[in-house]
Amino acid sequence: MSRLKKNLKFLFDAEGESQGVWMSAELWNKLDEVISPELDKIFPEEAKEPEQLPEPLKDWEALKTTWDLSYPIDGTVHCDHCGSSTEDWEQDEPRKFRLKAANLGGLVRFECQSCHALVSKKHFKDKVVFECTPPKNA
């Protein structure tokens, strides 16, 4: 299977009518900067504010309830891109960081609300490592 066929699929209903196109995340990440401005022109009313998905708080709670590392879990988050930081992201109002993902392996991801960088907080057996990915438009 070619890379194009793997990353782009045309979807049809039972009668063979075209229903849409599915695009992999890999392909979208490569085309986002080209396609998004065109979508904003086609749908200007939706270009103003992107819809935010709810925070996956159930995943965060699952991580907290299964926590078995030797150090306590905490809410500290900091952004190396813009310098924003908090001692407890859950208590901030409004949020300085929005939870984007959390898993039982100890990886927790946030979006900085100041600059929209992606902040990864990786919990290892004996330490916590922060990684910051600047926003795409930076």
Side-chain angles (χ1 to χ4, degrees):
M1 178 182 285
S2 74
R3 280 188 70 210
L4 179 59
K5 287 183 180 181
K6 178 182 171 193
N7 288 286
L8 185 68
K9 295 183 181 358
F10 295 91
L11 307 174
F12 301 91
D13 65 15
E15 287 78 39
E17 296 292 321
S18 177
Q19 295 296 304
V21 178
W22 176 87
M23 182 183 309
S24 70
E26 175 187 352
L27 183 57
W28 176 256
N29 288 335
K30 291 179 181 179
L31 296 175
D32 183 26
E33 289 181 26
V34 175
I35 292 174
S36 288
E38 296 304 315
L39 292 174
D40 291 346
K41 291 176 193 172
I42 296 168
F43 304 105
E45 67 282 356
E46 296 179 29
K48 296 176 188 128
E49 187 65 37
E51 180 182 340
Q52 286 195 342
L53 298 174
E55 292 177 289
L57 295 174
K58 287 182 181 178
D59 296 343
W60 171 247
E61 291 302 322
L63 174 60
K64 290 193 320 186
T65 59
T66 60
W67 190 260
D68 64 351
L69 297 177
S70 60
Y71 53 90
I73 195 166
D74 71 12
T76 303
V77 183
H78 64 269
C79 177
D80 293 335
H81 184 68
C82 73
S84 184
S85 67
T86 183
E87 294 300 315
D88 189 350
W89 68 272
E90 288 182 277
Q91 300 304 313
D92 291 339
E93 195 57 49
R95 288 249 203 266
K96 293 180 182 179
F97 296 91
R98 281 186 47 88
L99 181 66
K100 300 298 277 183
N103 68 40
L104 297 179
L107 175 61
V108 185
R109 288 206 167 143
F110 301 92
E111 179 184 18
C112 176
Q113 296 302 282
S114 295
C115 70
H116 300 287
L118 182 65
V119 178
S120 297
K121 187 173 181 181
K122 299 177 178 182
H123 297 90
F124 294 102
K125 183 178 179 179
D126 58 347
K127 64 183 175 183
V128 177
V129 175
F130 279 91
E131 289 180 3
C132 185
T133 304
K136 287 185 181 186
N137 58 359

